[in-house]
Amino acid sequence: MLKLKKRPKSPYWIARGTFQGQRVEVSTKCTLLADAKAALPGIIAELSADQDGAGELSFARALRVYQDINPDARFLGPLAVHFAGKMVSEITNAEMRKAAHALYPGRAPATIRRQLYTPMKAILNCAAEEDLCAAPRLKSPTGGNKRTEFFLPKQADAVILEMGKNDNLCLSAMVTFLFGQGCRMGETITLDGTDVSLDDRFAILRNTKNGEERRVTLIPRVVAALSTLPTVGVPGPLFRRLDGFGFRHGTNGGGQIQKQFASAVRGAGLDPSRFTPHVCRHSWATWFYAQTKDVRRLQDEGGWKSGEWQRYTKIGTPDLGKTALKAGWDFRELGENWGNGKGEARAARV
């Protein structure tokens, strides 16, 4: 196990400890601890580069392959350190249980699944797809059902108001879009300005999770927010960073605006560890169903191919649909593709 230390007269953090039975001491060439921690997985990968046995794959190499394809993936640092020097063939269910105890002692099963088993399976599946190893057969711990968070409309308004204090004025419009349309972060940051029509009130999402283009009907509050952006109808990303460039597209859902969003959530008196950018999608789905009771539209507008949407029909509050409507989140209109008006009649009764 390598640990970060500092020599008395050196400004740099060093990685020191035992690696595959040998004493190791390597400079990270970083003066800040945060930078040294970020550099540690790369150092471990370099130390492991020559350790692959004939016909065997080291975890370090599998991790490098995965990171090349998914540079923004989360929760990899602890895995890189804990499984340093291990071969993929050694990563068994017993080893994973030991890792769970060492890395996340006392944590809930859901946390262990999310931060240990899910990234490990992703790494090994990626290696298997590259024909570097066999597909993993790891069994995640059971228990701890998924927890579905959602904002109340007044909480969402408070977050949008706080986000409006940021120097990047497009962020409040982006968060309004997330709350009002329920799009995933990847779909949102890759939305092109030419794929948005405020006059006809639609947006075309090209880069979706399931690979199928999807058109969403823009609600009036979102149209009003987007009308403040100079990028509507302009080639390139609709939502841009302060420097005018688009947000980097990766797999780290919400990470592109995580700091700004967390600051706004704190400003609204809420807990950033519970309320992340992806919770905007949960909130939209919860409000949408509470207001319309239209499961077909919920599934289609949300772009679900699985039964995940069913989670949002079981939560909420008795008056949530009316409360959302009063706050300007109006999902009642059918749009041109929504059948014979039965959904509209249901919505009119909200």
Side-chain angles (χ1 to χ4, degrees):
M1 180 71 71
L2 298 184
K3 295 183 179 180
L4 293 171
K5 304 284 185 180
K6 252 194 173 183
R7 294 192 184 99
K9 297 183 180 181
S10 173
Y12 300 115
W13 289 88
I14 61 172
R16 177 190 295 167
T18 302
F19 183 81
Q20 296 186 348
Q22 297 182 354
R23 291 290 299 172
V24 172
E25 187 172 303
V26 181
S27 174
T28 66
K29 300 180 181 179
C30 299
T31 58
L32 298 178
L33 180 58
D35 293 340
K37 288 181 177 179
L40 188 57
I43 291 173
I44 293 173
E46 290 180 7
L47 291 172
S48 302
D50 297 327
Q51 300 301 319
D52 290 352
E56 286 196 87
L57 174 69
S58 70
F59 174 73
R61 184 182 172 200
L63 179 60
R64 292 198 303 273
V65 171
Y66 181 72
Q67 287 181 307
D68 286 343
I69 300 173
N70 304 277
D72 297 318
R74 297 183 296 169
F75 310 126
L76 302 184
L79 274 67
V81 175
H82 182 84
F83 291 97
K86 290 281 187 184
M87 294 297 174
V88 164
S89 59
E90 297 178 280
I91 302 175
T92 61
N93 282 302
E95 287 296 325
M96 290 295 287
R97 287 191 292 271
K98 291 179 183 178
H101 180 73
L103 298 176
Y104 304 107
R107 303 297 291 274
T111 299
I112 295 172
R113 286 196 299 267
R114 182 177 66 254
Q115 300 188 19
L116 175 61
Y117 280 81
T118 295
M120 177 60 79
K121 288 180 180 180
I123 293 166
L124 301 186
N125 278 323
C126 179
E129 290 172 0
E130 298 294 323
D131 296 323
L132 298 175
C133 68
R137 300 182 64 181
L138 300 178
K139 185 177 181 180
S140 302
T142 58
N145 294 332
K146 285 185 177 180
R147 181 175 180 175
T148 303
E149 301 281 5
F150 68 93
F151 288 88
L152 294 174
K154 63 181 180 182
Q155 294 172 328
D157 288 345
V159 170
I160 293 171
L161 184 63
E162 288 293 322
M163 193 64 95
K165 299 176 183 179
N166 194 279
D167 291 338
N168 186 351
L169 300 181
C170 95
L171 291 180
S172 61
M174 177 193 284
V175 175
T176 302
F177 180 84
L178 292 172
F179 277 121
Q181 304 303 149
C183 298
R184 300 177 179 90
M185 180 58 72
E187 297 168 343
T188 299
I189 62 174
T190 55
L191 176 59
D192 196 279
T194 59
D195 286 329
V196 177
S197 173
L198 300 186
D199 291 335
D200 296 310
R201 292 182 44 212
F202 71 84
I204 301 175
L205 307 171
R206 311 282 185 185
N207 189 7
T208 63
K209 184 177 180 179
N210 56 38
E212 297 181 6
E213 291 184 1
R214 183 168 90 254
R215 192 178 104 161
V216 295
T217 301
L218 302 177
I219 67 171
R221 181 164 176 176
V222 170
V223 171
L226 298 187
S227 67
T228 65
L229 300 180
T231 49
V232 174
V234 177
L238 176 69
F239 301 108
R240 307 190 185 193
R241 302 180 321 207
L242 193 59
D243 60 10
F245 291 96
F247 292 92
R248 185 174 62 179
H249 179 221
T251 58
N252 188 5
Q256 299 86 351
I257 63 167
Q258 184 67 56
K259 291 182 180 179
Q260 300 94 321
F261 193 85
S263 177
V265 168
R266 281 191 292 270
L270 302 172
D271 182 359
S273 67
R274 291 179 55 195
F275 295 97
T276 64
H278 191 69
V279 176
C280 297
R281 177 171 166 84
H282 294 183
S283 304
W284 166 82
T286 306
W287 303 346
F288 187 101
Y289 177 76
Q291 190 176 113
T292 69
K293 299 298 188 293
D294 192 333
V295 295
R296 167 73 188 282
R297 285 183 59 207
L298 173 65
Q299 186 175 7
D300 288 349
E301 291 267 332
W304 281 289
K305 291 297 183 182
S306 68
E308 185 76 5
W309 57 271
Q310 298 178 53
R311 297 168 59 190
Y312 309 103
T313 65
K314 301 174 183 177
I315 59 177
T317 65
D319 296 325
L320 186 58
K322 294 179 180 178
T323 303
L325 181 60
K326 288 180 181 178
W329 307 107
D330 187 352
F331 309 111
R332 298 174 300 171
E333 295 187 31
L334 284 176
E336 64 186 55
N337 298 324
W338 298 115
N340 58 15
K342 292 181 180 179
E344 188 174 37
R346 285 197 300 271
R349 295 196 293 270
V350 172

